[in-house]
Amino acid sequence: MKDIKSLLSSLPSVDEVLKSPSGIQWQEKYSRRHVLQSVREVIDSYRQAIISGKIENAGYHVIHEEIHKKLEDLAEYNLKNVINATGIVIHTNLGRSVLSEAVMQHVKDIATGYSNLEYDIEKGVRGKRYSHIQSLTNQLTGAESCLIVNNNAAAVFVCLNTIAKDREVIVSRGELVEIGGSFRIPDIMKSSGAILKEVGTTNKTHISDYEKALTEHTALLLRVHQSNFRMTGFTQNPSLEELVSISRKFNLPLMFDLGSGCLIDLKPYGIHIEPTVQDVLKAGVDIVTFSGDKLLGGPQGGIIAGKSELIEQISKNPLMRAVRVDKMTLAAYEATLTAYLDEEKAKTTIPTVRMLMENKETIKKRAKKVLLKLKKKANFSIHEMAHIFIASDSSKSGGGALPEIEFMTYAVAVKPYKMSAGALGQKLRVNSPHIIARIQDDMVLLDMRTVQDSEIERMVDGIINALLSQNLA
Ligand SMILES: *Cc1c(COP(=O)(O)O)cnc(C)c1O
């Protein structure tokens, strides 16, 4: 009992810790709120441990170390950088597109100072937010005019609400898609106020089905990119040309929710099913909507492009204010599109595009580099900890784009001897750097398609640390 009493009195008070040299340093570096919280919690945990007899002597030094650790944890951001070793390039859960340094430089210039966001520098009067990206988008896509909103879901929503509120929109039953759970065509249609008029069947829709459904209540024909699935077998859907021709014949606008917003013709890469925005507009579609951060490789955003008359109408919808983009998105989008002015450069400077198009041999080289570094850096015989080798594999693009394409890739495969692959995968995830890998056949597969060269050093250290910790466990 006496021991406990003297131990308790040997604990420093909160005030003493705050006035100690480390306490003063912490208050300079961290917020006072976090310092106080850490000091109080750690002292309190020591007090509890002494009372319950778990501690027989309390050293100042240990207390300070623990406070410091707690402070670092508290000060860390919740939103963290992770290394994507899944091979899925457009990984919605991991933030979809990666932006280049050049794009971020423009964002930084615009966001860390004032800008001409809505200001006409020449005339010295109020300007237009969307003017900065319009001529570039029109030039690249062949659109007459365009707008950008928060994401493609918002783009579809605001278009439907403007063009078809309380009126009918004809859609093929084969295109009533769900994308990522919360975006479903029937639901978005309903909340926009438009009335869904389904035609055809799940597997077959004919152009005559559209014609038969036309009434004086029809406001719009809508085509939706099937994005994340494909139907094979006994299927049919009218061609875009057929849809354009009935839209012209009956003087009704035709809208295409394109999803990905690909600007580069992928046919030379063996991908024949992804129409570009240019193709779709050239075919005569009146309004096309697409995401900024899928195949396009830019910031999250939804682009609405097409005929000026409709764009003008949409721009006046009061909802535009609710879904408008901020200056950072505009800057990132402008810089991304600028990179597309030279298609060859776009393929190397836009990370999403580069990763998707990256040649298998380049990926293999990266895998070899990682393997070599692992062997070199590990100050233990790595072969005693795990079987590590390069595995040929395939991965998906992700983001609901190109679902039928298997991208050939190489992974660094790690089969740990002293723990399960699941346990290693978990360690790689929670340790810093956070590495997200694939687990397959009791192996951890680190797909080198989505790992940036600048991340290799950190990743190798992370793998070694995770493997080493199996000895401690
Ligand atoms: C992805 C997608 C959407 C939703 O786009 P977000 O930018 O994620 O809001 C809508 N329609 C289609 C066809 C899509 O592929």
Side-chain angles (χ1 to χ4, degrees), residues 59 77 114 126 139-140 173 177 198 206 210 314 367 447:
Y77 286 119
Y114 292 101
R126 184 180 177 162
Q139 193 183 336
L140 287 165
R173 288 202 166 91
V177 298
E198 312 173 21
H206 305 273
Y210 285 83
I314 295 163
D447 192 318

Side-chain angles (χ1 to χ4, degrees), residues 96 151-154 156 177 179 183 185 224-228 257-260 290-294 300-302 399-400:
R96 283 200 189 156
N151 54 22
N152 189 32
V156 173
V177 298
I179 285 125
F183 181 91
I185 292 294
V224 183
H225 192 297
Q226 288 176 334
S227 291
N228 47 10
D257 172 15
L258 195 50
S260 261
F290 54 94
S291 291
D293 55 353
K294 290 187 183 169
Q300 180 188 305

Side-chain angles (χ1 to χ4, degrees), residues 143-213:
E144 287 176 12
S145 185
C146 67
L147 293 165
I148 177 168
V149 294
N150 198 31
N151 54 22
N152 189 32
V156 173
F157 183 82
V158 76
C159 288
L160 291 174
N161 180 269
T162 310
I163 305 169
K165 186 163 190 289
D166 299 325
R167 295 173 66 206
E168 289 178 358
V169 180
I170 305 181
V171 191
S172 161
R173 288 202 166 91
E175 296 174 4
L176 297 174
V177 298
E178 168 177 314
I179 285 125
S182 51
F183 181 91
R184 301 175 116 192
I185 292 294
D187 297 344
I188 203 110
M189 190 82 75
K190 200 168 185 182
S191 45
S192 75
I195 301 158
L196 171 63
K197 180 97 180 178
E198 312 173 21
V199 297
T201 60
T202 302
N203 58 329
K204 279 204 170 206
T205 302
H206 305 273
I207 193 71
S208 56
D209 293 323
Y210 285 83
E211 281 200 54
K212 275 183 247 158

Side-chain angles (χ1 to χ4, degrees), residues 330-384:
L330 271 176
Y333 178 75
E334 184 185 23
T336 303
L337 274 211
T338 302
Y340 273 104
L341 287 172
D342 183 340
E343 197 175 289
E344 283 312 307
K345 276 197 193 137
K347 288 176 193 167
T348 55
T349 57
I350 300 174
T352 299
V353 180
R354 175 182 57 70
M355 285 187 263
L356 281 171
M357 297 195 167
E358 198 156 67
N359 163 310
K360 213 170 85 183
E361 292 313 308
T362 313
I363 301 173
K364 190 174 191 177
K365 267 192 204 141
R366 193 174 299 129
K368 279 186 174 163
K369 193 169 161 189
V370 169
L371 194 68
L372 207 71
K373 276 187 188 291
L374 272 171
K375 287 183 184 170
K376 221 170 168 179
K377 273 198 165 181
N379 58 357
F380 56 94
S381 168
I382 201 154
H383 299 295
E384 284 168 24

Side-chain angles (χ1 to χ4, degrees), residues 233-433:
F234 191 60
T235 62
Q236 186 173 336
N237 221 13
S239 68
L240 201 53
E241 288 67 29
E242 285 177 288
L243 283 179
V244 168
S245 84
I246 64 158
S247 100
R248 298 258 162 91
K249 184 167 156 196
F250 295 94
N251 200 22
L252 280 169
L254 171 63
M255 170 170 150
F256 196 160
D257 172 15
L258 195 50
S260 261
C262 184
L263 293 182
I264 295 179
D265 184 7
L266 298 175
K267 287 189 205 81
Y269 298 87
I271 300 169
H272 292 269
I273 34 64
E274 190 63 35
T276 61
V277 179
Q278 304 85 291
D279 288 341
V280 167
L281 287 170
K282 209 168 172 185
V285 169
D286 300 289
I287 286 285
V288 56
T289 63
F290 54 94
S291 291
D293 55 353
K294 290 187 183 169
L295 288 177
L296 190 82
Q300 180 188 305
I303 294 89
I304 306 171
K307 300 269 158 69
S308 330
E309 200 190 321
L310 285 167
I311 297 289
E312 179 70 20
Q313 233 179 301
I314 295 163
S315 73
K316 290 184 181 138
N317 189 327
L319 276 172
M320 279 299 289
R321 176 60 190 247
V323 295
R324 84 175 182 188
V325 291
D326 79 321
K327 59 194 174 192
M328 292 191 275
T329 303
L330 271 176
Y333 178 75
E334 184 185 23
T336 303
L337 274 211
T338 302
Y340 273 104
L341 287 172
D342 183 340
E343 197 175 289
E344 283 312 307
K345 276 197 193 137
K347 288 176 193 167
T348 55
T349 57
I350 300 174
T352 299
V353 180
R354 175 182 57 70
M355 285 187 263
L356 281 171
M357 297 195 167
E358 198 156 67
N359 163 310
K360 213 170 85 183
E361 292 313 308
T362 313
I363 301 173
K364 190 174 191 177
K365 267 192 204 141
R366 193 174 299 129
K368 279 186 174 163
K369 193 169 161 189
V370 169
L371 194 68
L372 207 71
K373 276 187 188 291
L374 272 171
K375 287 183 184 170
K376 221 170 168 179
K377 273 198 165 181
N379 58 357
F380 56 94
S381 168
I382 201 154
H383 299 295
E384 284 168 24
M385 316 299 291
H387 179 35
I388 304 182
F389 57 100
I390 293 172
S392 167
D393 201 5
S394 68
S395 51
K396 296 282 188 185
S397 98
L402 314 173
E404 71 277 71
I405 312 282
E406 293 281 343
F407 289 86
M408 292 315 296
T409 189
Y410 283 95
V412 173
V414 183
K415 193 176 170 67
Y417 294 137
K418 296 176 188 164
M419 63 175 139
S420 68
L424 177 61
Q426 147 91 5
K427 275 186 201 297
L428 291 172
R429 286 201 308 278
V430 300
N431 289 354
S432 179

Side-chain angles (χ1 to χ4, degrees), residues 10 25 43 70-71 90 100 127 225 246 358 364 385 399 436:
S10 79
Q25 265 180 20
I43 292 180
K70 196 168 266 261
L71 253 176
I90 310 169
S100 69
H225 192 297
I246 64 158
E358 198 156 67
K364 190 174 191 177
M385 316 299 291
I436 320 294

